[in-house]
């Protein structure tokens, strides 16, 4: 039986079979969410407040922190609603909007990591022209381009969701809405919605990753051509934080993709854990990586907290 789309709602799923333990399961989620909000929020405030960090590299880091915050704030309400209040029902408009922002922000994050690779490429290959190439206006254009690509490219598969009839079970497999979950419940021709995301992932995630890899091959070539060992180490150290963030992001993407593609025999709980790792691990780790590996960020944090302590 088909339903009027205006009255369609979906049921989110927490951890099946562990409903009585949801309150305990929520504890690590709250800890991680709080850490993500604090870490990325601190980075945003620090980069805005500290004029020593008003450089292209840190502007891109600012965009990364904002994207991680956006992704966390998009998923957090429904996840905690399910775990704390057993509030599983979500109407179609809220569900499709959540799916839109989750997928868009994931593509935006990939684009920002690519932009950060370009920043490091210019800084090491053309250090004397770095400021003239990466002007504030160009950084803004790159940022707008990344946002536009992420938010516009996801519109085609999301828009049909509002018009599909849904006549199957309305139970989703996660505590948040994903495009691939919703289309399984549609009673319509979903060929486009199955093929387009595959092409999109290839054009964005795969091409971004390959471009980042090529840029680092060229960066490594430039670093090895530097005569002084001390200068080689210094040049490479400026890339360590970004390399770590790239690995954290793409390893989780690859892991989740492999589980979805080849994990038919894998317990559902593993699928759930991998999805949460994908959405929570990079936003949690990125501020930690940059705080631990980047001297300018560490110094900025010391200045920030020293000023606050003196002011208190």
């Amino acid at each position: 039986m088909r339903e009027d789309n205006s009255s369609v709602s979906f049921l989110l799923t927490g951890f099946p079979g562990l409903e009585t333990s949801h309150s305990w399961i929520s504890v690590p989620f709250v800890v991680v969410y709080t850490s993500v909000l604090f870490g990325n929020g601190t980075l945003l405030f620090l980069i805005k407040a500290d004029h020593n960090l008003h450089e292209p590299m840190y502007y891109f880091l600012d965009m990364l922190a904002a994207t991680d915050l956006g992704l966390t704030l998009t998923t957090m309400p429904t996840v905690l609603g399910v775990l704390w209040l057993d509030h599983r029902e979500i109407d179609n408009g809220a569900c499709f909007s959540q799916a839109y922002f989750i997928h868009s922000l994931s593509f935006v994050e990939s684009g920002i990591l690519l932009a950060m690779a370009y920043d490091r490429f210019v800084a090491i290959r053309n250090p004397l022209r770095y400021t003239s190439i990466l002007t504030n206006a160009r950084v803004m254009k790159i940022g707008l381009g990344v946002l536009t690509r992420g938010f516009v490219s996801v519109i085609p598969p999301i828009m049909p969701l509002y018009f599909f009839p849904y006549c199957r079970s309305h139970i989703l497999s996660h505590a948040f809405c994903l495009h691939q979950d919703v289309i399984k419940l549609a009673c319509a021709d979903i060929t486009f919605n199955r093929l387009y995301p595959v092409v999109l992932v290839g054009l964005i995630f795969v091409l971004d990753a390959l471009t980042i890899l090529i840029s680092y091959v060229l960066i490594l070539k430039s670093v090895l051509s530097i005569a002084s060992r001390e200068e080689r180490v210094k040049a490479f150290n400026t890339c360590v934080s970004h390399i770590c963030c790239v690995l954290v992001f793409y390893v989780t993407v690859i892991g989740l993709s492999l589980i979805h593609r080849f994990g038919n025999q894998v317990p559902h709980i593993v699928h759930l854990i991998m999805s949460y790792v994908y959405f929570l691990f990079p936003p949690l780790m990125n501020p930690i990586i940059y705080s631990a590996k980047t001297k300018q960020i560490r110094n900025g944090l010391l200045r920030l907290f020293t000023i606050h302590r003196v002011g208190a």
Side-chain angles (χ1 to χ4, degrees), residues 97-117:
S97 297
Q98 185 182 48
Y100 171 72
F101 282 107
I102 286 175
H103 295 297
S104 295
L105 289 169
S106 296
F107 290 137
V108 168
E109 178 141 356
S110 178
I112 293 171
L113 290 172
L114 176 60
M116 295 172 85

Side-chain angles (χ1 to χ4, degrees), residues 154-173:
V154 178
I155 291 175
I158 294 295
M159 282 303 295
L161 299 182
Y162 288 90
F163 306 102
F164 283 155
Y166 298 93
C167 55
R168 299 190 178 94
S169 165
H170 290 181
I171 300 175
L172 300 173
S173 59

Side-chain angles (χ1 to χ4, degrees), residues 24-307:
W24 290 106
I25 294 172
S26 71
V27 173
F29 278 91
V30 172
V31 171
V32 172
Y33 278 138
T34 304
S35 301
V36 169
L37 295 176
F38 176 76
N40 289 284
T42 300
L43 274 184
L44 285 171
F45 179 79
L46 175 65
I47 293 169
K48 180 182 178 181
D50 194 332
H51 291 283
N52 295 312
L53 301 178
H54 289 184
E55 298 177 7
M57 174 182 173
Y58 302 108
Y59 291 147
F60 288 129
L61 177 57
D62 205 39
M63 296 177 201
L64 185 66
T67 302
D68 285 337
L69 269 181
L71 192 57
T72 301
L73 292 172
T74 298
T75 56
M76 179 170 61
T78 55
V79 173
L80 293 183
V82 171
L83 295 179
W84 278 352
L85 308 172
D86 196 33
H87 181 71
R88 297 179 58 199
E89 189 171 350
I90 183 171
D91 67 70
N92 63 345
C95 183
F96 303 154
S97 297
Q98 185 182 48
Y100 171 72
F101 282 107
I102 286 175
H103 295 297
S104 295
L105 289 169
S106 296
F107 290 137
V108 168
E109 178 141 356
S110 178
I112 293 171
L113 290 172
L114 176 60
M116 295 172 85
Y118 175 65
D119 168 82
R120 292 299 83 202
F121 175 81
V122 174
I124 291 176
R125 297 275 292 191
N126 297 289
L128 298 179
R129 298 183 57 215
Y130 177 72
T131 54
S132 62
I133 293 175
L134 280 172
T135 60
N136 288 345
R138 185 159 292 170
V139 169
M140 187 176 294
K141 288 178 182 178
I142 292 173
L144 287 174
V146 167
L147 286 173
T148 301
R149 185 187 72 164
F151 283 104
V152 172
S153 63
V154 178
I155 291 175
I158 294 295
M159 282 303 295
L161 299 182
Y162 288 90
F163 306 102
F164 283 155
Y166 298 93
C167 55
R168 299 190 178 94
S169 165
H170 290 181
I171 300 175
L172 300 173
S173 59
H174 296 81
F176 44 81
C177 292
L178 296 174
H179 169 265
Q180 59 265 36
D181 255 4
V182 175
I183 61 171
K184 292 176 183 177
L185 309 180
C187 296
D189 182 2
I190 57 172
T191 304
F192 173 79
N193 281 66
R194 285 191 179 280
L195 296 178
Y196 182 88
V198 174
V199 174
L200 192 61
V201 166
L203 290 176
I204 292 183
F205 282 156
V206 176
L207 281 183
D208 284 0
L210 286 175
T211 306
I212 291 171
L213 178 62
I214 292 169
S215 71
Y216 270 105
V217 169
L218 297 175
I219 286 171
L220 183 61
K221 183 179 178 182
S222 295
V223 170
L224 292 177
S225 67
I226 299 174
S228 168
R229 181 179 180 278
E230 183 178 339
E231 289 298 317
R232 287 201 301 270
V233 172
K234 183 178 178 181
F236 187 72
N237 280 342
T238 65
C239 301
V240 170
S241 298
H242 178 250
I243 292 172
C244 291
C245 289
V246 167
L247 289 175
V248 165
F249 180 76
Y250 284 106
V251 166
T252 55
V253 168
I254 293 169
L256 184 62
S257 299
L258 290 175
I259 285 290
H260 278 305
R261 185 67 60 185
F262 305 108
N264 293 332
Q265 305 303 319
V266 176
H268 181 60
I269 188 70
V270 177
H271 287 261
L272 288 177
I273 291 171
M274 278 304 302
S275 67
Y276 286 117
V277 167
Y278 170 71
F279 288 115
L280 293 175
F281 193 58
L284 174 67
M285 292 304 298
N286 290 341
I288 296 173
I289 290 169
Y290 269 92
S291 298
K293 295 291 185 180
T294 307
K295 183 178 179 180
Q296 291 89 334
I297 295 291
R298 289 201 305 272
N299 291 340
L301 290 171
L302 287 173
R303 285 193 295 270
L304 178 65
F305 289 111
T306 301
I307 290 171

